[in-house]
Amino acid sequence: MFAYKNSKKLENDFIIQKPFNDGLQQWVDYYFFIEIPVDKLKFNEEFVFPFPRITFGYFFEHPFLVTNHSLNENYSAEMIISRISTNQISVKPLTDKVKIIGAHLKPYGLGLLTNDDISKKPWIIKTEDLFKMEAERFKKKIDRCSNPKEMFAVIEHIFLSSVLTKDLSIVIKALDLIKEEEGNISISKLSENTGTSTRTLRNHFYKSVGCSPKEYMMLLKLRQSIYQMKHSFNSLTSVSYSQNFADQAHFSNTVKNITGTHPRAIKKNLPNFRFLQF
């Protein structure tokens, strides 16, 4: 139905689209859209894995209740940006329909949209606080769109008009090294390869990513682990060793501490996850 360049419909009803602008592709992973009745969902509330990425979402007239179980806080989300966090968060539709347009950004994507220290930002950021009056214009434009492609173009415009000129080369190089080593690199080696002290590197991460390098690597390992659980028949023991954990018990405890859920339960429910897990 939506057969336009670089778009893809996923098995969980999401339509995704790579940015049209080459420059944006450097820090925006992709745009996404979903529209589905709530009664077609497997369950009403879903925990969101704390992956190392930034998510922007506009929920139209169908807001979600977002609960931060780590902080015991609730938030009714209409248009938000979430920052990287190890908090345990769940989402729950508040109406009879799910309709979301949004984008997943690179870990440093939020750092290109504000000069503020990301680590000092709340776990859910009101889009109006970042985009000011442009946020209201965005909603009006989106509501007039007739298909996801038009909506993706509106998101692209707000990102292009809001991006700041900043030198994030140290953070970007460190993130590339972490990805290349699949999270198995020491902080001292990371700082050595980026030409900084461990303290300076940590400060760069807090300011532009919102977490420490160590926290980021742990979230990356979580993402890699869940991908393995979803796309392979490997045992949890095999997954734990492949992610360089000492044993399955250490792996299970780490995953449970971050997500609040045992890996066995995650593996069992993976086919049902729908909202922001892809």
Side-chain angles (χ1 to χ4, degrees):
M1 181 177 178
F2 300 105
Y4 39 87
K5 186 178 179 182
N6 296 325
S7 68
K8 181 180 180 182
K9 185 167 184 177
L10 304 182
E11 61 182 358
N12 54 5
D13 297 306
F14 278 89
I15 297 168
I16 65 173
Q17 168 76 50
K18 284 288 187 181
F20 309 105
N21 180 277
D22 291 340
L24 277 183
Q25 290 183 19
Q26 304 303 310
W27 60 278
V28 178
D29 280 332
Y30 52 82
Y31 310 126
F32 61 84
F33 176 78
I34 183 173
E35 185 173 10
I36 186 174
V38 167
D39 60 17
K40 289 185 65 176
L41 302 178
K42 297 289 186 180
F43 43 81
N44 197 29
E45 184 176 24
E46 180 178 324
F47 280 84
V48 177
F49 299 135
F51 285 165
R53 66 184 175 202
I54 310 298
T55 299
F56 162 73
Y58 173 48
F59 298 79
F60 296 86
E61 69 275 18
H62 304 285
F64 270 49
L65 178 68
V66 184
T67 302
N68 186 319
H69 299 271
S70 301
L71 301 177
N72 195 28
E73 294 179 359
N74 293 315
Y75 186 88
S76 179
E78 178 191 358
M79 188 164 70
I80 53 94
I81 292 181
S82 64
R83 71 175 183 87
I84 291 177
S85 169
T86 57
N87 290 168
Q88 297 170 14
I89 294 172
S90 67
V91 293
K92 180 180 181 180
L94 291 176
T95 68
D96 61 353
K97 183 177 180 181
V98 172
K99 186 177 181 181
I100 310 170
I101 188 78
H104 284 317
L105 315 182
K106 301 287 188 185
Y108 57 90
L110 192 50
L112 289 171
L113 296 173
T114 178
N115 285 316
D116 296 339
D117 186 328
I118 305 302
S119 67
K120 292 181 170 30
K121 288 286 188 182
W123 59 282
I124 289 289
I125 302 168
K126 294 180 180 180
T127 309
E128 291 87 344
D129 292 341
L130 284 178
F131 299 140
K132 310 303 179 186
M133 292 301 296
E134 187 67 27
E136 286 302 316
R137 288 191 285 269
F138 167 84
K139 287 193 284 188
K140 291 177 181 178
K141 290 178 181 178
I142 282 287
D143 290 338
R144 291 198 297 265
C145 291
S146 59
N147 59 62
K149 183 179 180 180
E150 293 180 2
M151 297 179 195
F152 297 151
V154 174
I155 294 180
E156 183 136 313
H157 177 267
I158 194 172
F159 284 157
L160 286 172
S161 62
S162 303
V163 64
L164 304 173
T165 301
K166 299 173 70 175
D167 181 8
L168 299 182
S169 56
I170 290 176
V171 165
I172 293 172
K173 184 175 182 179
L175 291 170
D176 287 343
L177 287 168
I178 292 171
K179 182 178 180 180
E180 183 180 322
E181 298 295 330
E182 298 181 334
N184 298 310
I185 184 172
S186 67
I187 304 300
S188 59
K189 188 69 173 177
L190 202 58
S191 61
E192 177 185 337
N193 288 347
T194 54
T196 63
S197 68
T198 56
R199 180 178 181 178
T200 298
L201 180 63
R202 186 170 58 250
N203 289 341
H204 275 286
F205 261 73
Y206 277 129
K207 182 169 178 58
S208 300
V209 180
C211 64
S212 71
K214 184 177 180 180
E215 288 174 320
Y216 179 84
M217 285 189 273
M218 191 56 64
L219 292 177
L220 179 65
K221 283 176 172 290
L222 174 64
R223 182 176 188 174
Q224 292 168 170
S225 300
I226 290 176
Y227 185 88
Q228 280 186 273
M229 286 189 274
K230 182 177 177 67
H231 297 284
S232 77
F233 295 104
N234 293 346
S235 66
L236 293 181
T237 300
S238 296
V239 172
S240 63
Y241 286 137
S242 71
Q243 296 303 320
N244 212 29
F245 285 92
D247 50 42
Q248 184 184 331
H250 184 206
F251 167 71
S252 297
N253 288 336
T254 300
V255 172
K256 189 172 181 180
N257 286 339
I258 296 176
T259 66
T261 307
H262 193 282
R264 283 195 299 270
I266 292 176
K267 187 174 179 64
K268 179 181 178 182
N269 288 309
L270 273 173
N272 298 327
F273 286 132
R274 181 178 298 270
F275 295 122
L276 304 176
Q277 316 292 9
F278 50 92

